[in-house]
Amino acid sequence: YINHNWKYVRFSLDAYDKESYVKTRAVTSRRDFGEVYDLVMLNLKHLIHVKKSAGAKFKVVLGYVVHELNHNEQEMIRFFDDCEEMGIDLIQIRPDFTDAASTRFTFDEIMKSKKAYKNLDITVSTKVVRPYGYGTCYGSMLSTVLYYTNKMVVCCMRPELEIGDLSESFESLWAKALVRIPTVATDTCPPCRF
């Protein structure tokens, strides 16, 4: 299903290969995260193929939150080369706001190499937004988060804010989100981009 009104579809990968993906996520009793990485990459390639076949204009975006387990500038650049070849439009790099050391990563090699890409944009943010200056978070109205388990939440930083799963229509889930979002108080939130 492709909606031609979509502006972007974003995958939070946070890894440059299967090994770094497994390191950044715990292995659960239900599924090995090495298999999850393979599934995510398969779905990503499928989405790019369907997008091109349908002539859709939305951007395919990869999120990459950097921390000590997945920070290797040379490996990241190699992965970004692969992303451009695959058809990814944008990679958003941000520090892990809960890991103070990651906010000091310089990304020197990445910043030098990003000019070499013709069909791939890379944004690098080291901005930590806290304190918020407002009591209720409306940033989650800008996007929803879909986990590989088909669970949908209104905030990637607050997995307890689940609104349902894909057994329901997206319209139904979004209606639930609009009810839930005004109750999200920032005093219990970790630092984030909103």
Side-chain angles (χ1 to χ4, degrees):
Y1 171 78
I2 294 290
N3 184 323
H4 288 271
N5 293 321
W6 290 346
K7 302 237 185 288
Y8 66 90
V9 175
R10 184 176 181 276
F11 287 70
S12 292
L13 194 62
D14 308 327
Y16 51 80
D17 61 10
K18 187 187 290 193
E19 183 181 343
S20 63
Y21 187 84
V22 171
K23 281 181 186 175
T24 62
R25 286 154 170 81
V27 176
T28 68
S29 58
R30 293 184 306 145
R31 184 172 272 182
D32 171 22
F33 272 91
E35 292 175 12
V36 173
Y37 178 83
D38 292 338
L39 181 61
V40 169
M41 295 308 291
L42 183 68
N43 287 337
L44 187 55
K45 290 172 184 173
H46 178 70
L47 176 69
I48 291 167
H49 170 75
V50 171
K51 171 194 166 182
K52 288 178 180 174
S53 298
K57 303 294 184 196
F58 65 85
K59 291 189 175 197
V60 177
V61 181
L62 278 186
Y64 198 114
V65 176
V66 179
H67 48 77
E68 63 182 9
L69 297 176
N70 67 0
H71 179 250
N72 178 319
E73 288 180 352
Q74 293 306 313
E75 288 297 322
M76 290 166 74
I77 289 168
R78 181 197 52 75
F79 177 66
F80 299 159
D81 292 343
D82 294 344
C83 287
E84 182 179 43
E85 190 174 311
M86 193 187 319
I88 303 294
D89 299 300
L90 171 66
I91 298 175
Q92 297 171 321
I93 303 171
R94 296 190 322 268
D96 174 1
F97 296 121
T98 62
D99 176 6
S102 74
T103 63
R104 296 192 299 271
F105 290 150
T106 61
F107 305 110
D108 290 336
E109 294 299 316
I110 293 167
M111 296 305 284
K112 279 188 239 171
S113 70
K114 69 184 265 191
K115 294 180 180 144
Y117 296 110
K118 293 183 177 133
N119 300 309
L120 174 67
D121 288 327
I122 298 175
T123 62
V124 179
S125 170
T126 56
K127 182 179 178 187
V128 177
V129 183
R130 182 102 181 196
Y132 294 103
Y134 46 87
T136 302
C137 176
Y138 292 99
S140 49
M141 291 185 82
L142 303 174
S143 63
T144 55
V145 179
L146 179 65
Y147 286 110
Y148 74 92
T149 59
N150 284 338
K151 297 292 183 192
M152 188 168 279
V153 298
V154 296
C155 175
C156 65
M157 304 294 280
R158 303 276 304 275
E160 74 277 12
L161 298 176
E162 182 181 313
I163 54 175
D165 64 44
L166 288 185
S167 63
E168 301 176 59
S169 71
F170 183 80
E171 290 79 12
S172 170
L173 291 168
W174 190 244
K176 286 183 185 177
L178 292 177
V179 171
R180 187 83 187 258
I181 288 168
T183 66
V184 178
T186 58
D187 60 351
T188 58
C189 289
C192 82
R193 60 191 164 142
F194 296 119

